Amino acid sequence: MRYPQDLKENGTIGFPAPSFGCATEPYKSAFDNALNKWQKLGYQTLPGENVYLSCGVGISNTPKRCAAELMEMYLSHDTDCLISCGGGELMCEILDYVDFEKLKEATPKWYLGYSDNTNFTYLLTTLCDVASIYGPCAGTYGMEPWHVSLTDTYELLTGKKRTVGSYALWERESLKDAENPLVPYNVTETNLLKLYHNGRLMDGTAGVCLSMTGRLLGGCMDCLVNLLGTSYDKTAEFCEKYREDGIIWFLEACDINVFSIRRAMWQMEHAGWFKYVKGFLFGRPRNGDEMMGLDVYQAVLEVAGKYDVPILMDLDIGHVAPMMPLVTGCIAKVTVKGNDVEVQMEYR
């Protein structure tokens, strides 16, 4: 596994838009303020040509133009790391224009994003053996003030920390809109971890203490299940290569409902993705309402519960803010103490 250099002082951050751009409010104002905040921290900012565009279908521009921007920025000596402008719907369509062989040979640099950016964070790791960061996209850094999760991501990018933890509160309903583009997370809900082992719920608030170690792999299930079985799916080979480490899967969902989540778990299992699993980390799904008696817990436990590994649910990962930044591809030690989760990340 190859790891990029830490973002250096006075370094240059590139901002590509391989998925949605920041063409409308509140995203444009949030992104503009994010640039200001990075500049005040002493960094140079280099927005790509697609940042303020929305002429594509589910992405900022045509797939070919989005891929060209991403490749140019990643290979350029003028950028030290890349932060994606946002998520979207059809980033998968740029993949046919991305030269992963060139990326394998290139000097690695941090790529930060989540949601639709799974199409790049996941493939950088599984196809190129390059670590990436699954974390907040560019516009989020325009909030005033930053939530501690953004500070965590900044310190991860700059090498000041390699350990992150869960947060005390989470956001059920965002207050961010076109009239209020810079409002911080509206964290009102108490974080209550659910911990399962062998499919059995353990009491995550009564002195439970356990840890697991493995190589982090995962992202947004909407995207992962779309990649599964395609020519870009080298997951089984990746897991085989790192079988001695084992895999800790971190998974979260955006649009798919509980039945789609259950089907996705079934697909991943039958594709051999979980052969060397050491544990599961599930974020709160954005669309996780119960349907026909199926809740989000049973949606994943039918598969995950078959393995003799810890299963953590309702974690700060993904679409329900805030989110812990996670380095895809690294060796992680995940420790649970009562209701708190800590992820120590080692670059080897």
Side-chain angles (χ1 to χ4, degrees):
M1 184 60 56
R2 296 188 296 154
Y3 296 91
Q5 291 185 353
D6 299 327
L7 175 61
K8 61 187 178 184
E9 289 186 18
N10 304 314
T12 300
I13 306 172
F15 295 92
S19 192
F20 277 166
C22 301
T24 60
E25 295 296 352
Y27 309 106
K28 183 179 185 302
S29 292
F31 178 69
D32 287 342
N33 199 52
L35 295 182
N36 290 333
K37 292 179 78 72
W38 284 112
Q39 290 163 10
K40 287 179 180 178
L41 287 168
Y43 297 97
Q44 309 300 312
T45 56
L46 186 62
E49 64 178 14
N50 297 323
V51 165
Y52 297 110
L53 298 183
S54 60
C55 53
V57 178
I59 50 178
S60 61
N61 206 332
T62 65
K64 190 172 184 178
R65 293 292 294 273
C66 287
E69 177 190 64
L70 181 60
M71 287 293 299
E72 180 181 351
M73 284 191 135
Y74 194 95
L75 298 175
S76 173
H77 296 297
D78 296 331
T79 59
D80 297 303
C81 79
L82 303 183
I83 302 179
S84 176
C85 283
E89 299 295 341
L90 291 175
M91 188 176 168
C92 59
E93 293 186 355
I94 82 168
L95 297 179
D96 291 344
Y97 305 100
V98 174
D99 190 336
F100 286 99
E101 291 303 315
K102 279 189 177 180
L103 295 177
K104 283 182 184 179
E105 301 301 321
T107 300
K109 61 181 63 171
W110 286 122
Y111 181 90
L112 168 62
Y114 82 111
S115 189
D116 206 22
N117 291 280
T118 298
N119 286 287
F120 199 60
T121 58
Y122 187 80
L123 295 183
L124 264 182
T125 299
T126 55
L127 297 185
C128 304
D129 259 339
V130 172
S132 60
I133 302 178
Y134 196 76
C137 294
T140 310
Y141 299 88
M143 73 169 61
E144 297 284 3
W146 276 5
H147 184 270
V148 64
S149 60
L150 301 186
T151 304
D152 285 346
T153 310
Y154 166 58
E155 292 184 347
L156 192 63
L157 272 174
T158 55
K160 295 176 182 177
K161 73 183 325 177
R162 292 187 181 178
T163 298
V164 297
S166 53
Y167 307 106
L169 300 171
W170 58 277
E171 178 183 77
R172 183 177 295 277
E173 184 175 356
S174 174
L175 300 179
K176 184 175 178 177
D177 57 27
E179 286 73 39
N180 302 282
L182 308 183
V183 295
Y185 292 141
N186 178 36
V187 287
T188 59
E189 309 300 309
T190 301
N191 194 351
L192 296 174
L193 172 71
K194 282 188 169 57
L195 170 63
Y196 295 83
H197 200 276
N198 293 328
R200 182 175 63 86
L201 178 64
M202 303 176 69
D203 187 349
T205 63
V208 171
C209 184
L210 63 83
S211 65
M212 53 180 155
T213 302
R215 200 166 287 274
L216 280 180
L217 190 62
C220 180
M221 298 177 76
D222 307 45
C223 303
L224 292 173
V225 75
N226 189 56
L227 292 171
L228 194 156
T230 69
S231 59
Y232 300 102
D233 178 15
K234 304 300 181 184
T235 304
E237 294 91 330
F238 180 88
C239 294
E240 190 68 35
K241 179 178 180 179
Y242 292 107
R243 62 186 180 277
E244 296 301 321
D245 301 322
I247 305 297
I248 295 178
W249 282 94
F250 68 91
L251 299 167
E252 56 101 8
C254 178
D255 294 329
I256 60 176
N257 62 32
V258 290
F259 279 102
S260 296
I261 291 172
R262 184 151 166 167
R263 287 191 290 265
M265 291 293 293
W266 182 91
Q267 284 181 270
M268 292 176 186
E269 179 185 38
H270 284 271
W273 286 20
F274 301 150
K275 184 176 181 181
Y276 299 107
V277 65
K278 300 289 286 293
F280 291 96
L281 312 178
F282 289 98
R284 302 179 193 89
R286 197 176 73 169
N287 185 29
D289 291 343
E290 182 176 320
M291 295 177 66
M292 291 182 277
L294 181 69
D295 64 22
V296 67
Y297 307 107
Q298 288 304 315
V300 302
L301 287 171
E302 181 65 23
V303 169
K306 298 176 183 178
Y307 300 89
D308 184 23
V309 298
I311 305 162
L312 278 61
M313 299 197 64
D314 290 340
L315 291 181
D316 296 315
I317 301 172
H319 285 80
V320 181
M323 64 182 300
M324 296 184 292
L326 298 175
V327 175
T328 308
C330 78
I331 294 289
K333 180 179 180 181
V334 181
T335 303
V336 181
K337 293 182 179 179
N339 198 52
D340 297 320
V341 179
E342 181 182 83
V343 184
Q344 297 174 285
M345 292 172 279
E346 184 180 350
Y347 296 174
R348 62 175 174 88

